[in-house]
Amino acid sequence: MIIKKKKLLSERTLKEIEEQLNPLDFYRINRAELIHKYYIEKIEHYDKNTLAIKLKDCKNYLKTSQSQTAAFREWVGK
């Protein structure tokens, strides 16, 4: 018996997904995470060049990569 795995997304990389999203609404904050502007609840300074982002209805904070922090601040208007 052969079992086929169903894929939820046809894209293989986060980069491919990112390219299909509206850059006014979505931002890639680090190598592994994309966020939607609407769901940002709070932004705090984390360390030297990193921000901690609290999303609505999430317990954990997400962190920007150092290389993305300046561009993220500009994107979010902060």
Side-chain angles (χ1 to χ4, degrees), residues 11-75:
E11 295 78 7
R12 292 203 257 214
T13 66
L14 196 53
K15 179 75 174 161
E16 290 173 345
I17 295 168
E18 180 183 14
E19 290 169 352
Q20 296 178 28
L21 299 172
N22 183 343
L24 297 175
D25 296 326
F26 290 88
Y27 192 83
R28 188 169 183 174
I29 60 168
N30 58 43
R31 194 181 299 183
E33 297 164 320
L34 284 161
I35 61 170
H36 190 288
K37 191 179 270 188
Y38 173 80
Y39 292 97
I40 297 173
E41 184 175 295
K42 186 193 306 187
I43 301 170
E44 297 178 2
H45 180 75
Y46 182 72
D47 66 21
K48 185 177 178 182
N49 194 26
T50 304
L51 298 173
I53 303 162
K54 172 87 168 73
L55 298 180
K56 295 175 185 175
D57 299 322
C58 279
K59 292 181 196 178
N60 300 328
Y61 281 77
L62 305 176
K63 294 175 200 78
T64 59
S65 66
Q66 290 186 8
S67 64
Q68 289 297 323
T69 298
F72 174 76
R73 282 186 171 140
E74 187 175 313
W75 175 79

